Amino acid sequence: LAATKALVEAEGRTCHVVAADLSTGAGVDEVADRLLAISSCWHILVNNHGTNSQTPLVAAEGADAGAFALDRDAFRNVIDTNLSSVVQLVSRLAPGMIAAGAGAIINVSSMQAFFGLENQIAYGSSKAALNQATRVMAVELGPRGIRANAIAPGVTLTKMGKDLWDSEAMAERKAARLKSIPLQRF
């Protein structure tokens, strides 16, 4: 973040870095309060935060095969971080955009919003719901001059992406996915 801030400021622009835990409503309010203390109107909001959990729906193998396995706390954490925090942050910052008559909201989704992946019930669901929330934002805020869009990148090897795709359980799926990519890399 510091390096990005320096690059932005080297171009003569202003950049503020605000870090907080967005998995809770209190954390989102903290971010919104800090941002609104800097300016009552933010013209661009990029929601590029998220988390994941290897959350199976049912136990896969062994004596408890097919038994209920969903970790409700892990599921709720993913939904709160990837979806609820976005909606809450937009609801806090959109009034300034509305007052200005312009703004842009960019929500970073995922290709997992469009297809199922084993042990990804929480992540895939959160990103599919984020896409729908973005559509509602566009419908409600568009007439007020605010654009709302979601982008859905494929595999991005952040720490979270590496943890998933470099796991032994994903070896076959990773090989198959890489074959479908012209550059043969994520």
Side-chain angles (χ1 to χ4, degrees):
L1 291 173
T4 299
K5 179 178 172 57
L7 289 170
V8 170
E9 290 176 342
E11 294 293 321
R13 304 287 184 171
T14 302
C15 180
H16 301 279
V17 175
V18 177
D21 178 1
L22 297 178
S23 69
T24 68
V28 176
D29 280 337
E30 177 187 343
V31 168
D33 290 345
R34 290 174 63 194
L35 291 173
L36 292 170
I38 295 167
S39 175
S40 63
C41 180
W42 291 89
H43 299 283
I44 300 172
L45 171 62
V46 179
N47 288 300
N48 186 33
H49 58 279
T51 192
N52 196 357
S53 174
Q54 299 294 315
T55 311
L57 189 58
V58 295
E61 297 179 17
D64 293 331
F68 180 77
L70 181 65
D71 180 331
R72 292 179 184 170
D73 291 337
F75 184 88
R76 173 56 40 207
N77 183 62
V78 173
I79 297 297
D80 285 346
T81 304
N82 296 359
L83 175 64
S84 301
S85 66
V86 171
V87 173
Q88 183 180 350
L89 196 54
V90 169
S91 74
R92 292 286 313 273
L93 298 182
M97 293 178 184
I98 292 168
I105 298 165
I106 303 159
N107 296 324
V108 179
S109 181
S110 169
M111 290 303 294
Q112 282 196 47
F114 305 105
F115 64 88
L117 189 61
E118 186 176 24
N119 296 329
Q120 296 296 304
I121 187 75
Y123 187 78
S125 297
S126 72
K127 293 303 186 173
L130 178 61
N131 288 350
Q132 183 59 27
T134 304
R135 289 180 192 98
V136 173
M137 290 172 196
V139 168
E140 288 192 19
L141 300 174
R144 297 170 175 181
I146 301 162
R147 296 181 321 276
N149 293 283
I151 58 171
V155 176
T156 305
L157 293 178
T158 59
K159 181 184 180 322
M160 186 171 75
K162 288 177 187 177
D163 289 347
L164 173 65
W165 289 97
D166 288 346
S167 70
E168 190 175 316
M170 294 296 288
E172 276 187 52
R173 184 163 283 163
K174 180 179 180 179
R177 179 67 61 87
L178 287 170
K179 285 181 185 177
S180 72
I181 300 172
L183 292 175
Q184 304 286 304
R185 63 176 172 81
F186 293 137

